[in-house]
Amino acid sequence: MMGVDYYVTLEINRTVTDAIIKQSYRRLALKYHPSTNKSPGALEKFHQLAEAYDVLSDPSKKAIYDKFGEEGLKGGIPPEFGAAGAWTSGYVYHGNPAKTFQLFFGGDNPFADFHSKDVDEMAVRLNGVQQQGKGRAVKTQDPPIERDLHLSLDDLFHGCTKKIKISRRVMNEDGYTSSIRDKILTIVVKPGWNEGTRITFPQEGDQGPNSIPADIIFIVRQKSHPCFVRQKNDLVYKAQIALEMALTGFSVDVETLGGRLLNIPINDIVHPQYNKVVTGEGMPLSQDPSRRGNLIIVFDTQFPQKLSAERKRVIKQALAS
């Protein structure tokens, strides 16, 4: 069996009765209780004993553990082994060994006067929580989970709604066990959002008995577009033209992301540093979608590979005048 061996922890074998399990836990829990045992490792051992007893004293948990080990117990077992053809919920120990100890001994608890502050300090050391105020402890939040949200330039131009399914561990009503459940997160993409925009869903990560769920953060990543390159709020469009067009004038057709066909006349000489700026035909501004950046047309002038002597003469004559 892989993982933790609860039988070894309680110093018993697999064939013992429930009475022996209780007897062993009683003996070892008293031996390693942090109020009397200050030796290194005693506190961790006390925690391990409580979890082992919590599993082996429960017939259903013990049966799953005996057959599938710690991995099956905590991860859940597949439908073919679970009741009613469902995947069983994974086991999560509540993480409070003092609670297990007190429930076991009840009114006969030999450490009934054990100070509550010491119990809190033990929880701090075992479960990673931080103290807040005198004798109190609060949970810490898991680190945020970041995921990329890949969007097309059309999505960012028009805005859209994206629905993303996540699977996360959710605590059951008993407060100790958990199960995996799906949830749909809805992201309303606003026109003009930029690369790197962050959308936060607070505390939508895995739930646990001893921590606050992590925030899930989606980060906008812009996909490339076959016609346009985005530069902040501007859109850059590259047009290929012949040398003749660059020198004599022409018009260029551009279909915008909004579906309009622009016919833009170019009457200037198109030199290597030349570009044409069309005002208000770029991306919407995220702060005010009624306003837009510019469309910038740049030109890739195609030169002829060869010229005849006659054509060279004609061009020299034309340029010399």
Side-chain angles (χ1 to χ4, degrees):
M1 179 182 64
M2 300 297 291
V4 177
D5 192 328
Y6 293 131
Y7 291 98
V8 171
T9 300
L10 287 176
E11 300 179 4
I12 55 179
N13 60 52
R14 291 176 169 271
T15 60
V16 298
T17 63
D18 184 60
I20 298 297
I21 293 173
K22 291 180 179 178
Q23 180 182 347
S24 181
Y25 173 72
R26 177 189 293 271
R27 174 178 61 85
L28 293 171
L30 291 173
K31 178 180 178 181
Y32 289 100
H33 197 285
S35 67
T36 58
N37 192 328
K38 305 298 183 182
S39 62
L43 189 59
E44 183 179 358
K45 179 69 173 179
F46 185 67
H47 187 285
Q48 294 170 351
L49 290 168
E51 181 175 337
Y53 177 73
D54 188 62
V55 172
L56 298 183
S57 63
D58 184 299
S60 60
K61 296 175 189 172
K62 182 176 181 295
I64 295 174
Y65 174 75
D66 286 344
K67 188 168 185 178
F68 299 101
E70 183 193 18
E71 183 178 353
L73 176 71
K74 295 183 176 180
I77 59 175
E80 58 265 30
F81 299 106
W87 193 293
T88 63
S89 301
Y91 164 74
V92 178
Y93 179 54
H94 55 70
N96 189 343
K99 177 179 178 180
T100 302
F101 184 87
Q102 291 164 357
L103 288 174
F104 178 86
F105 283 95
D108 297 326
N109 182 357
F111 303 105
D113 295 329
F114 188 40
H115 200 280
S116 62
K117 182 175 181 295
D118 295 329
V119 176
D120 287 341
E121 289 177 349
M122 178 173 65
V124 169
R125 293 168 62 188
L126 288 174
N127 303 319
V129 297
Q130 299 174 335
Q131 289 193 20
Q132 184 181 49
K134 186 176 181 180
R136 298 179 59 197
V138 295
K139 298 177 180 179
T140 56
Q141 186 173 20
D142 293 334
I145 301 168
E146 296 185 350
R147 296 287 183 268
D148 288 341
L149 177 64
H150 295 279
L151 298 173
S152 69
L153 195 55
D154 293 273
D155 289 336
L156 294 170
F157 181 88
H158 296 285
C160 63
T161 298
K162 296 290 184 181
K163 294 184 179 295
I164 300 174
K165 183 170 76 171
I166 62 170
S167 296
R168 62 174 188 153
R169 186 170 293 278
V170 178
M171 295 301 296
N172 296 325
E173 292 182 359
D174 59 15
Y176 305 127
T177 60
S178 65
S179 55
I180 301 296
R181 297 180 189 173
D182 292 337
K183 183 173 183 177
I184 303 296
L185 301 180
T186 300
I187 300 175
V188 179
V189 178
K190 300 296 181 62
W193 271 5
N194 292 293
E195 170 95 7
T197 298
R198 299 166 71 89
I199 308 99
T200 301
F201 290 88
Q203 299 184 22
E204 290 291 356
D206 289 340
Q207 296 178 356
N210 304 310
S211 63
I212 299 171
D215 294 342
I216 296 181
I217 302 175
F218 291 94
I219 304 173
V220 171
R221 302 299 181 198
Q222 181 181 291
K223 299 178 184 177
S224 60
H225 191 276
C227 298
F228 298 101
V229 174
R230 183 178 184 179
Q231 293 181 352
K232 296 183 179 179
N233 295 319
D234 296 334
L235 291 174
V236 178
Y237 179 87
K238 180 181 285 189
Q240 286 192 345
I241 60 172
L243 179 58
E244 173 194 352
M245 298 167 64
L247 297 175
T248 61
F250 59 98
S251 63
V252 60
D253 293 335
V254 180
E255 184 177 353
T256 69
L257 292 174
R260 296 166 54 239
L261 183 62
L262 303 179
N263 182 265
I264 302 160
I266 307 295
N267 298 315
D268 303 316
I269 300 294
V270 178
H271 54 77
Q273 287 76 41
Y274 178 86
N275 58 52
K276 180 70 173 179
V277 177
V278 184
T279 305
E281 293 292 347
M283 292 292 292
L285 277 61
S286 58
Q287 304 89 342
D288 182 4
S290 65
R291 299 171 56 204
R292 293 185 182 177
N294 299 325
L295 171 64
I296 302 173
I297 305 175
V298 297
F299 299 94
D300 180 14
T301 303
Q302 305 294 305
F303 285 76
Q305 294 183 353
K306 294 181 180 180
L307 287 174
S308 66
E310 178 61 20
R311 287 190 174 183
K312 289 180 181 180
R313 185 186 66 77
V314 172
I315 291 173
K316 285 182 180 180
Q317 183 179 359
L319 293 177
S321 59

